[in-house]
Amino acid sequence: MKRAIYLGLGALLALNAPLWPVQAAEAESSELDLSKEALLSADEVIYDNEAQLVEARGNVEIVQGDRVLKADRIIYDVAADTVRAEGNIALLEPSGDVVFADNMELENELKTGAIRDLKILFTDNSRLAAHDAIREDENRTVMNKAVFTSCEPCKEDPERAPIWQAKADQVIHDRQEKTITYRNAFLEFFGVPLIYTPYFSHPDPTVDRQSGFLAPSIFSSSTIGYGVKVPYYYVIDEDKDMTITPTITSKEGVQMAAEYRQAVESGSFQFDGSLTYVDKVDRNNNETGGQEFQGHIRGDGQFRLDETWVWGYDIFRTTHDTYLKKYDISDADTLTSTAYLQGQRGRNLSLLSAYSFQGLTAADVSGETPIVPAWWDYSYVGEANSYGGRFDANADVLAIYRTDGQDTNRLSLEGGYLNPYTTANGQVITLDTSLRGDLYYTHDELADPADPSSATADDSFTGRLVPSISVKWQYPFVRQSGSIRQVVEPIAEAVWSDVIGDNGTPNEDSLSFEFDDTNLFGSNRYAGLDEVETGARLNYGMNVGVYGASGGYSTLLFGQSYHFDKDTGFEDGTGLEDRFSDYVARLEIRPADYLQFVNRVRLDHDSLYLARNEISMKLGTVENWFDLGYVYLRDDPNGISQERREEIYVAGKVKLAEFWSAYGSYRRNLVNGGNSIDGRIGLEYLDECFGIALEAKRSFTRDRDVEPETRFGVRIRLLPFN
């Protein structure tokens, strides 16, 4: 029978007593302090009273506080208070680490001692082995001729060298400082020593983050030359850290970048920025003499004031239009900075914000770029009355300022009533009425709102009323066929709205317009408030859907609009310039999570030619996926040239083997014979301990001093270090 006994100051005085069975030990465990007493269990226990030795054999286990020691044979020297273990030794630490050895002699409640042929399995499955080790105290272990790796042994050949390992004459594991330190160390790859360092340190697996260098990345760019990034991660405190990244290039010198992150009691915020000092160049990338600073700053944060109110900001600025593209920071054409104060209680929302924009294209003129010092938007939705209807109210106050051009101030107040009603046979009839009043004060009003460079007139003060009423009818027919639910829903909507007062108000927020399935129904198809769709019209369509029990579905929406006035107020090319609008449709197919297909089209109402065609498809899983995007616009009224636009985009990732993946993307313009825009291809290896990615990127377009370029990059990851 397996025997058990408590070993401690009190129990040692009773070595002549008979052995207790396991059940007896368990019965008295509640009366003992296991942090001070040790519980020994084994198949056989032998006492030598004269020598004061306790020898345990066969499935030996000692539990001392949070530590558990297992071995084939353990000898406990009572006088010396030492434990010597032999054969298949395993010591489970309170941290969860497991120490394996062939011979071990411990004392001081298993906290100190000497170990031979040491092996440690950390909680993150990384491993450390040493020829011998000294446990100086509970927190410090000094190991000689040691090796560390996070790679798992090869299944076919466990003796084969791992992908990488760190070998050192001496390794010190300090659990209090949570560091593993190497002296006279080599970093080996596939058993070949490549890097030597007299001193090297990294956090132990219990650390989520610690200061130190991250893995560098190497790249080659035809614009800024050969380069290397060497990021350093600095932990400032538990609630804040930063990363400093110098980028050394052969053509542009050194760029310094930094990212700062901090959490506070009410929220969090972060900033990143960069700075470099380079030669001045013209639009054709020719040096003009002298040097200048270039850089960027970006940041965001959100902070809660109470359960209702939050405030925050989002900042993004750069010193030069092409700087972000040159250093592969961002491809954005416009940078937006904002600050806001938002309150939400129930269905009611108040948002006060300010905006600043920075245009980065060659056509942008800084003086004509708007600045929004204040924009207040308020929305109130009342409780439903006995008829199911709700009153709502909206307020909008906007101020727009330009250093060169039109300044606009707007006050808009709106009240409305919405009442959906469902008949006994399932028809849904929705009444929506509203009355809005707008007041505008404009300084240097533009003669042509769509042309910021047009002549400006005197200041003006204008106002108008915008009444609107609509009745929408829906009649969904549903049929269940096995696990499939089919829905056919005809929809019709009658709308009337008008402008009473001045119809020549400024247009700031409705310059861009697209007619598609998203605004087929509604009282105003314009995105903003400045432009109003007037007159009587009829919107009609059909919504068809097939829904599976597992969550998959396919839907089709098809519809058209009819305007009772010959002059609809919309420009040519929008699809709404005639009484009968173009046809719009949206087909969405999503039978499972691995496939999503969306096709949105607009068909010319006379010829049924495609006026707009958008395709988006996502196929696959996390490991293997394919994306397809295609857009065709016969006329692009929102574009600079307002000509045909056609573009295709493909991207994907394929798992080639257990740890190997290939990925890439490509974008091409299909107009006038076509030309490539950009492309990327990469090969990645990633296992539990090592990762490397080889990537090539090509940009085929020129933007002033940024020429078409090819960029090659190499990124290496040594886990768990980064």
Side-chain angles (χ1 to χ4, degrees):
M1 176 186 293
K2 189 172 183 178
R3 301 300 183 100
I5 187 170
Y6 286 105
L7 300 179
L9 296 177
L12 290 175
L13 300 177
L15 286 176
N16 291 324
L19 296 177
W20 301 318
V22 175
Q23 292 83 355
E26 292 176 348
E28 295 193 15
S29 63
S30 60
E31 302 175 2
L32 297 172
D33 186 353
L34 291 181
S35 64
K36 298 179 180 179
E37 308 290 344
L39 171 64
L40 182 149
S41 62
D43 293 339
E44 180 182 6
V45 179
I46 302 174
Y47 296 93
D48 187 336
N49 293 336
E50 183 177 350
Q52 288 190 302
L53 296 178
V54 178
E55 181 179 351
R57 299 175 181 175
N59 299 313
V60 185
E61 180 177 299
I62 294 181
V63 179
Q64 176 70 58
D66 293 331
R67 287 181 173 82
V68 179
L69 175 63
K70 295 183 177 182
D72 292 339
R73 179 171 177 259
I74 290 180
I75 300 175
Y76 181 55
D77 188 326
V78 178
D81 191 22
T82 61
V83 174
R84 188 171 73 249
E86 300 173 353
N88 297 315
I89 301 171
L91 175 62
L92 177 62
E93 296 281 8
S95 63
D97 301 338
V98 183
V99 179
F100 302 94
D102 289 337
N103 291 278
M104 184 181 297
E105 185 169 330
L106 302 175
E107 57 186 10
N108 189 23
E109 299 178 351
L110 308 180
K111 297 176 182 178
T112 61
I115 307 172
R116 296 188 65 85
D117 295 325
L118 169 72
K119 298 180 179 65
I120 302 177
L121 177 63
F122 293 106
T123 53
D124 64 348
N125 288 326
S126 58
R127 295 162 172 80
L128 195 154
H131 178 268
D132 58 83
I134 299 295
R135 292 174 63 104
E136 296 181 349
D137 56 40
E138 183 179 8
N139 296 315
R140 184 179 172 89
T141 303
V142 179
M143 294 159 277
N144 298 311
K145 302 299 181 184
V147 58
F148 173 85
T149 184
S150 59
C151 302
E152 295 182 359
C154 177
K155 296 179 181 178
E156 292 77 15
D157 184 8
E159 299 300 322
R160 190 171 69 183
I163 294 179
W164 74 267
Q165 59 185 1
K167 282 186 175 181
D169 291 342
Q170 187 180 78
V171 174
I172 302 172
H173 183 197
D174 192 322
R175 292 182 178 84
Q176 185 172 0
E177 298 294 331
K178 299 182 179 181
T179 59
I180 299 177
T181 303
Y182 303 77
R183 301 190 185 279
N184 293 325
F186 279 94
L187 185 62
E188 294 185 354
F189 286 87
F190 299 100
V192 179
L194 296 181
I195 302 174
Y196 167 79
T197 176
Y199 176 87
F200 172 61
S201 178
H202 65 81
D204 72 14
T206 63
V207 177
D208 293 329
R209 58 193 189 120
Q210 189 173 56
S211 301
F213 284 99
L214 304 179
S217 59
I218 304 170
F219 64 89
S220 171
S221 166
S222 55
T223 300
I224 60 178
Y226 296 101
V228 58
K229 294 184 177 183
V230 187
Y232 181 82
Y233 178 67
Y234 176 49
V235 178
I236 303 172
D237 207 338
E238 293 183 356
D239 59 345
K240 59 180 75 72
D241 58 31
M242 70 183 305
T243 303
I244 302 172
T245 307
T247 301
I248 305 171
T249 67
S250 60
K251 291 184 179 181
E252 297 290 331
V254 179
Q255 179 214 48
M256 292 298 298
E259 182 180 6
Y260 178 85
R261 296 167 293 268
Q262 181 173 349
V264 295
E265 185 176 354
S266 59
S268 63
F269 66 93
Q270 60 181 4
F271 281 100
D272 70 87
S274 64
L275 188 66
T276 185
Y277 190 61
V278 295
D279 295 327
K280 292 182 179 180
V281 296
D282 59 17
R283 295 168 65 94
N284 296 318
N285 206 26
N286 297 318
E287 294 184 9
T288 60
Q291 290 185 305
E292 63 182 352
F293 285 102
Q294 295 184 5
H296 87 281
I297 185 171
R298 174 173 50 188
D300 63 82
Q302 188 175 74
F303 312 92
R304 178 162 293 280
L305 300 176
D306 53 33
E307 294 184 357
T308 301
W309 294 95
V310 297
W311 74 274
Y313 63 86
D314 194 334
I315 299 171
F316 200 179
R317 304 288 289 187
T318 183
T319 59
H320 291 72
D321 290 353
T322 58
Y323 174 82
L324 301 177
K325 294 181 180 178
K326 181 185 296 185
Y327 285 91
D328 199 23
I329 299 172
S330 172
D331 291 328
D333 290 331
T334 302
L335 304 183
T336 303
S337 299
T338 181
Y340 61 89
L341 173 65
Q342 178 179 301
Q344 184 171 4
R345 184 175 297 165
R347 292 182 297 272
N348 307 318
L349 175 69
S350 176
L351 176 61
L352 176 63
S353 54
Y355 290 88
S356 174
F357 305 95
Q358 183 181 10
L360 304 181
T361 67
D364 287 312
V365 179
S366 60
E368 298 172 355
T369 302
I371 300 172
V372 182
W375 186 2
W376 180 57
D377 184 32
Y378 177 78
S379 175
Y380 164 82
V381 179
E383 298 292 336
N385 57 28
S386 58
Y387 301 102
R390 300 177 186 271
F391 288 96
D392 61 77
N394 298 279
D396 186 281
V397 180
L398 174 66
I400 297 177
Y401 169 77
R402 293 179 177 88
T403 58
D404 184 15
Q406 175 178 289
D407 301 335
T408 304
N409 298 275
R410 181 183 71 197
L411 169 62
S412 178
L413 300 175
E414 180 182 25
Y417 178 74
L418 177 70
N419 191 355
Y421 173 73
T422 303
T423 65
N425 60 355
Q427 300 180 61
V428 180
I429 302 173
T430 304
L431 172 67
D432 188 1
T433 64
S434 68
L435 177 63
R436 192 179 85 216
D438 301 329
L439 293 176
Y440 288 85
Y441 174 74
T442 308
H443 175 68
D444 292 338
E445 184 177 1
L446 292 173
D448 182 3
D451 182 7
S453 62
S454 62
T456 57
D458 296 333
D459 300 351
S460 65
F461 183 87
T462 56
R464 65 186 181 185
L465 290 176
V466 182
S468 174
I469 183 171
S470 68
V471 178
K472 187 177 183 180
W473 171 83
Q474 301 166 259
Y475 198 0
F477 296 88
V478 182
R479 186 180 72 170
Q480 190 77 26
S481 177
S483 61
I484 303 298
R485 188 173 78 254
Q486 304 171 15
V487 177
V488 177
E489 181 184 30
I491 307 173
E493 181 183 44
V495 183
W496 174 86
S497 58
D498 203 357
V499 171
I500 302 174
D502 197 329
N503 201 20
T505 54
N507 183 10
E508 296 278 6
D509 62 7
S510 303
L511 294 173
S512 178
F513 175 79
E514 294 180 1
F515 175 51
D516 54 26
D517 60 281
T518 62
N519 56 13
L520 171 62
F521 299 99
S523 59
N524 188 17
R525 302 179 211 271
Y526 289 102
L529 301 178
D530 291 339
E531 283 292 312
V532 178
E533 184 179 4
T534 61
R537 58 263 189 202
L538 181 64
N539 309 318
Y540 46 88
M542 181 76 71
N543 193 10
V544 180
V546 179
Y547 303 87
S550 60
Y553 63 88
S554 296
T555 61
L556 172 64
L557 173 65
F558 184 85
Q560 188 185 33
S561 179
Y562 175 77
H563 208 290
F564 287 90
D565 294 334
K566 185 177 181 180
D567 183 8
T568 64
F570 290 94
E571 298 180 2
D572 293 342
T574 59
L576 288 167
E577 62 269 21
D578 298 327
R579 282 187 169 181
F580 281 99
S581 74
D582 289 349
Y583 299 101
V584 293
R586 183 192 69 241
L587 173 64
E588 183 172 0
I589 302 174
R590 191 166 185 174
D593 292 338
Y594 58 80
L595 174 60
Q596 181 179 6
F597 176 86
V598 179
N599 186 198
R600 303 167 66 181
V601 300
R602 178 161 61 87
L603 301 174
D604 186 281
H605 67 282
D606 290 327
S607 61
L608 296 182
Y609 288 160
L610 277 172
R612 182 185 187 93
N613 187 17
E614 293 180 76
I615 296 176
S616 173
M617 184 177 71
K618 298 181 181 295
L619 174 65
T621 62
V622 175
E623 295 180 338
N624 298 278
W625 54 269
F626 173 76
D627 284 1
L628 169 66
Y630 171 80
V631 60
Y632 166 79
L633 298 176
R634 184 185 60 186
D635 303 300
D636 187 4
N638 301 316
I640 297 176
S641 62
Q642 298 186 347
E643 296 178 353
R644 182 169 68 96
R645 177 188 170 195
E646 189 173 10
E647 187 176 298
I648 189 170
Y649 170 80
V650 292
K653 183 177 182 180
V654 178
K655 185 175 182 179
L656 304 175
E658 184 178 5
F659 303 116
W660 288 94
S661 298
Y663 60 92
S665 63
Y666 178 69
R667 188 185 304 273
R668 184 176 180 83
N669 175 30
L670 303 178
V671 178
N672 299 327
N675 60 278
S676 300
I677 300 175
D678 57 57
R680 180 180 65 157
I681 187 170
L683 182 66
E684 182 181 45
Y685 175 90
L686 181 63
D687 61 20
E688 78 284 350
C689 68
F690 177 76
I692 184 171
L694 308 174
E695 184 177 282
K697 298 172 63 177
R698 174 66 179 173
S699 173
F700 297 88
T701 59
R702 180 187 181 101
D703 186 2
R704 288 156 287 183
D705 59 318
V706 177
E707 301 176 356
E709 72 156 357
T710 302
R711 182 184 292 257
F712 297 95
V714 180
R715 300 192 308 273
I716 297 176
R717 298 177 62 186
L718 294 182
L719 303 174
F721 304 144
N722 64 319

